[in-house]
C-alpha cells in the first residue's frame, strides 16, 4: 500500500503546537495528511479528543495511520478498543507524557488518567527520548509494553519538539515509513 493510498491523521498534543513542529512539515509533504483540530487545546477533555479523533477517522475515505505527539499519543492509546472497529492500520506515538508521576504538567492535564494498559490492535511504534522533561524513558518502556508498541529509542531528544531542535525530523519520517511497511 502506497502512502498515497492512506490518510495520515495527526493528533497534536496539549496546546496544539504550530507549523514549526515536525508534524507540520509532515502534513505539508505527505499526500492525504491532515491535522485533527480539537475544540480545546488549552484545557483538553479526553472524551472530546477521542470523539473528534473518531469522527475524523470515520470521515476518511482511505485506511488511516494515526500519528500522535505527546497528549495526542495518550489519546490514541485511550482509543485501543475503538481502533479495533475502525479503519486504522497503524499508530505512531511520539513522546507521550507521564501524567501520573506528578510531573510539571500532570496537574494541568487531568482527565487523561489512569493511563490505558490495553494493547493497540494495529502495528505501532512508540518513539521516546531519554531526556524528555515530561516523562522518563522507563515510563515510555512501560507504555510500549502495555500498548504492544515497538519502542524506538530517540536518544537525547528532549520532548521531540521545536524546543529540542526537532523541526522537520526526517529520522522520524523514515521510521514512520518503516511502520507503514509493517502495516501492509
Amino acid at each position: 500500500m502506497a502512502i498515497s493510498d492512506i490518510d495520515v491523521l495527526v493528533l497534536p498534543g496539549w496546546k496544539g503546537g504550530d507549523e514549526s513542529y515536525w508534524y507540520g512539515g509532515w502534513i505539508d509533504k505527505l499526500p492525504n495528511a491532515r491535522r485533527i483540530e480539537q475544540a480545546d487545546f488549552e484545557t483538553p477533555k479526553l472524551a472530546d479528543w477521542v470523539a473528534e479523533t473518531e469522527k475524523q477517522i470515520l470521515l476518511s475515505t482511505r485506511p488511516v495511520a494515526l500519528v500522535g505527539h505527546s497528549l495526542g499519543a495518550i489519546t490514541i492509546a485511550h482509543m485501543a478498543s475503538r481502533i479495533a472497529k475502525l479503519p486504522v492500520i497503524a499508530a505512531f506515538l511520539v513522546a507521550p507524557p507521564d501524567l501520573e508521576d506528578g510531573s510539571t504538567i500532570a496537574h494541568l492535564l487531568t482527565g487523561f488518567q489512569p493511563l490505558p494498559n490495553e494493547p493497540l490492535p494495529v502495528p505501532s511504534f512508540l518513539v521516546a527520548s531519554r531526556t524528555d522533561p515530561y516523562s522518563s524513558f522507563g515510563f515510555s518502556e512501560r507504555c510500549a509494553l502495555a500498548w504492544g508498541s515497538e519502542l524506538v529509542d530517540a536518544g537525547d531528544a528532549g520532548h521531540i519538539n521545536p524546543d529540542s531542535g526537532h523541526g522537520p525530523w526526517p529520522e522520524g519520517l523514515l521510521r514512520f515509513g518503516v511502520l507503514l511497511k509493517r502495516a501492509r
Side-chain angles (χ1 to χ4, degrees):
M1 182 178 303
I3 189 78
S4 59
D5 295 331
I6 67 169
D7 284 337
V8 177
L9 299 183
V10 176
L11 289 79
W14 178 47
K15 296 189 178 182
D18 59 30
E19 61 278 346
S20 68
Y21 277 69
W22 53 267
Y23 50 78
W26 290 18
I27 291 168
D28 289 342
K29 290 180 181 172
L30 298 175
N32 309 318
R34 67 183 188 275
R35 172 186 162 109
I36 294 180
E37 293 294 339
Q38 301 292 350
D40 190 348
F41 278 112
E42 296 294 321
T43 53
K45 292 180 178 42
L46 177 61
D48 294 345
W49 280 38
V50 166
E52 184 60 28
T53 302
E54 185 170 3
K55 174 183 163 188
Q56 293 303 317
I57 293 168
L58 292 171
L59 288 173
S60 295
T61 58
R62 293 168 280 275
V64 171
L66 296 172
V67 175
H69 179 255
S70 195
L71 197 59
I74 298 288
T75 302
I76 293 169
H78 274 287
M79 295 182 66
S81 62
R82 291 173 187 248
I83 287 172
K85 301 172 189 139
L86 295 168
V88 174
I89 61 165
F92 193 75
L93 313 171
V94 180
D98 186 346
L99 301 179
E100 296 181 333
D101 75 343
S103 72
T104 57
I105 61 169
H107 70 286
L108 300 170
L109 300 172
T110 59
F112 285 76
Q113 303 89 346
L115 288 174
N117 60 8
E118 182 179 351
L120 290 164
V122 294
S124 61
F125 284 175
L126 189 155
V127 182
S129 166
R130 292 189 173 268
T131 55
D132 191 329
Y134 305 115
S135 69
S136 68
F137 194 76
F139 167 79
S140 297
E141 288 176 314
R142 291 189 299 279
C143 288
L145 182 63
W147 302 340
S149 301
E150 181 176 323
L151 182 65
V152 177
D153 185 345
D156 178 11
H159 193 53
I160 311 178
N161 62 9
D163 291 342
S164 63
H166 291 84
W169 195 35
E171 299 87 1
L173 190 55
L174 288 172
R175 185 64 70 166
F176 180 60
V178 171
L179 173 64
L180 293 180
K181 285 182 183 178
R182 293 187 184 176
R184 295 182 181 158

